[in-house]
Amino acid sequence: MIRKIEKIFLLSVFLVMSVCVSAQDGTYGSYSPYSIFGIGDISRQGTSFNKSMGGVGIATRNNRFINYMNPAALTARDSLSFMADFGLSQKNTIYRQGDLRSANNTFNIYDFMMSFPIWKSSAFVVGITPFSDVGYNFSHIEENQDIIGQTGNIEYDSYGNGSVYQIFLGAGATFWKNFSVGAEMIYYFGNVDKITNMNYTDPSYRSINSGSELSIRGVTGKFGVQYEQKLGGDVSMVVGATYKLGTNMKGYAVNYKYANQSSVSDTLKHRVDTLGKENIRIGDELGLGISVRGGDRWSAEFNYTRSDWRKTGLDSAPGFAVKGDMDFTTSVSQSFRAGFEITPNRNDIRYYLRKCTYRAGVYYNQEYYKVNGHNVNSIGITIGATLPVFRWYNGLTLGIDFGQRSSDKYDMIRERYVMFNIGFNIHDIWFQKPRYN
């Protein structure tokens, strides 16, 4: 009976994956006016397990979930266990700028990964997850009466879409029982389109179509360490750290501008730049974390990350820089995250809800850029739970993220959002020798 339930659960996961991959075609991975800047919105990393605890994970050691936020955490596992994770997210956002309001919702696949043991106290992980997303579409009409009186009505519209993904291969090992190290190789790849149109209603004027087509590639590495110290009884403390190297972007940028009138189109600009020659970079990142865990029942954690984007060249490179009324400059991004989880009684045989794990968290993020000299910050709270499905550590992780980015001061755009996360946690035991023939 258990094996039958297991097969049904796994079949359901793969069916959901297939439907979601089909539904992703032509949709936005993210939708925000702020994604027009630089490389777009940097995705918050982690599985639904991490996201429901405010995004912590640098000092997490949990043998029931894959934690790729620190490659050293891969060793916190059962020695014969195979694990996989597949996650979905759905985000609903309300935008406000002065008296203007709008709303949008997106649906996205945010991770798929597998982890399995290598030898004794070492483990391996492979997966794919978004790194950044571009998605926006807005327009306005020229209101200067002096210009309209000479040219007629003019409509401006800008839109963009695309994503940069990261494939990662990582491994971790434990030495002296308490000290773990790990490393990941990360490959960035993706395509981004940014387009701006200026359309005249008077046919005697030529409308202008301009934009950038970006093809982005890159390779970098991430390193992590964790040290666990027993504090007495079943209580332990873990200190963790990660460092991700900055790297130059490879690929190319096609920047163009066309003048259109009737069926005639004249090329005003068409230039292909090799990104590797422009010294455009992805910033490095340092992460620090500390957690306290009470056996298999509860844990609490705090993380801090810092990433320096000031010398990445994004605020001056064509296709990444934004020219016009908004002054875009790269900066230092920072985040503060804290989370807590508790399981009332993991082995309860009478009440199912006591076997579930409940989580809550808070976070504060500062983006990697400034707009008109002002930081763009976000703050939010998260709640979630993991529902055991059947034997081992298989489960369904649910999370909700309530947050706000920026404010409507200084002519900025305020975003208030609710994001729903769903994670499928798959676990099995490999290489078991049968006791009976």
Side-chain angles (χ1 to χ4, degrees), residues 24 29 41-48 50-51 66 68-69 85-89 108-114 125-133 163-169 184-190 222 244:
Q24 281 292 104
D41 272 351
I42 303 297
S43 302
R44 286 199 287 271
Q45 299 302 300
T47 65
S48 55
N50 305 106
K51 294 175 186 290
I66 301 176
Y68 73 94
M69 294 186 66
D85 189 279
F86 171 66
L88 309 170
S89 67
N108 197 19
I109 301 171
Y110 64 77
D111 72 54
F112 178 69
M113 63 195 69
M114 296 180 293
V125 67
V126 57
I128 181 171
T129 186
F131 174 70
S132 68
D133 297 293
S163 298
V164 177
Y165 299 93
Q166 53 184 352
I167 294 178
F168 55 91
L169 302 171
E184 286 179 359
M185 183 184 73
I186 302 172
Y187 174 65
Y188 299 111
F189 70 99
K222 183 177 182 179
K244 184 171 67 174

Side-chain angles (χ1 to χ4, degrees), residues 57-254:
I58 296 174
T60 296
R61 292 190 65 79
N62 193 317
N63 63 338
R64 296 174 178 270
F65 302 93
I66 301 176
N67 177 26
Y68 73 94
M69 294 186 66
N70 188 338
L74 297 174
T75 60
R77 61 185 299 120
D78 295 344
S79 60
L80 299 179
S81 62
F82 165 82
M83 294 187 289
D85 189 279
F86 171 66
L88 309 170
S89 67
Q90 197 274 328
K91 186 177 182 180
N92 307 278
T93 310
I94 298 176
Y95 311 90
R96 176 176 176 177
Q97 184 182 35
D99 296 330
L100 301 176
R101 289 179 174 83
S102 63
N104 191 270
N105 58 78
T106 58
F107 177 81
N108 197 19
I109 301 171
Y110 64 77
D111 72 54
F112 178 69
M113 63 195 69
M114 296 180 293
S115 178
F116 42 86
I118 301 176
W119 175 256
K120 293 184 179 180
S121 59
S122 58
F124 180 82
V125 67
V126 57
I128 181 171
T129 186
F131 174 70
S132 68
D133 297 293
V134 172
Y136 60 89
N137 190 342
F138 47 86
S139 62
H140 69 279
I141 298 175
E142 180 63 60
E143 297 180 351
N144 189 316
Q145 295 300 319
D146 294 334
I147 297 177
I148 295 174
Q150 297 180 12
T151 64
N153 293 330
I154 307 174
E155 181 180 2
Y156 305 90
D157 66 90
S158 299
Y159 55 94
N161 61 71
S163 298
V164 177
Y165 299 93
Q166 53 184 352
I167 294 178
F168 55 91
L169 302 171
T174 298
F175 302 94
W176 307 297
K177 294 184 179 180
N178 298 326
F179 183 69
S180 300
V181 299
E184 286 179 359
M185 183 184 73
I186 302 172
Y187 174 65
Y188 299 111
F189 70 99
N191 298 291
V192 172
D193 293 331
K194 299 181 179 181
I195 300 169
T196 301
N197 297 320
M198 182 171 62
N199 300 312
Y200 293 87
T201 56
D202 188 340
S204 62
Y205 289 90
R206 298 195 300 175
S207 297
I208 304 297
N209 171 257
S210 60
S212 300
E213 297 176 357
L214 309 174
S215 179
I216 298 170
R217 306 289 184 270
V219 178
T220 190
K222 183 177 182 179
F223 307 93
V225 296
Q226 286 185 335
Y227 177 76
E228 184 173 11
Q229 178 64 51
K230 297 293 184 180
L231 300 180
D234 60 353
V235 179
S236 62
M237 179 181 68
V238 178
V239 178
T242 61
Y243 182 69
K244 184 171 67 174
L245 301 171
T247 183
N248 287 349
M249 295 186 194
K250 306 296 182 181
Y252 62 85
V254 179

Side-chain angles (χ1 to χ4, degrees), residues 48 52 359 383-387 396-400 420-423 425:
S48 55
S52 59
R359 303 185 181 91
I383 57 175
T386 294
L387 311 178
L396 183 67
T397 299
L398 308 175
I400 307 177
F420 299 93
N421 300 307
I422 301 177
N425 317 122

Side-chain angles (χ1 to χ4, degrees), residues 325-377:
D325 298 333
M326 297 176 290
D327 181 21
F328 159 64
T329 55
T330 51
S331 181
V332 174
S333 69
Q334 300 182 84
S335 71
F336 302 86
R337 309 176 190 133
F340 176 81
E341 70 171 356
I342 186 170
T343 307
N345 185 355
R346 197 177 299 278
N347 300 313
D348 198 300
I349 60 175
R350 294 186 61 188
Y351 301 104
Y352 175 78
L353 293 180
R354 292 183 180 178
K355 299 171 61 176
C356 300
T357 301
Y358 304 95
R359 303 185 181 91
V362 295
Y363 62 85
Y364 172 85
N365 296 325
Q366 178 178 294
E367 300 290 350
Y368 67 96
Y369 53 81
K370 295 182 179 181
V371 179
N372 296 330
H374 301 289
N375 289 320
V376 178
N377 305 321

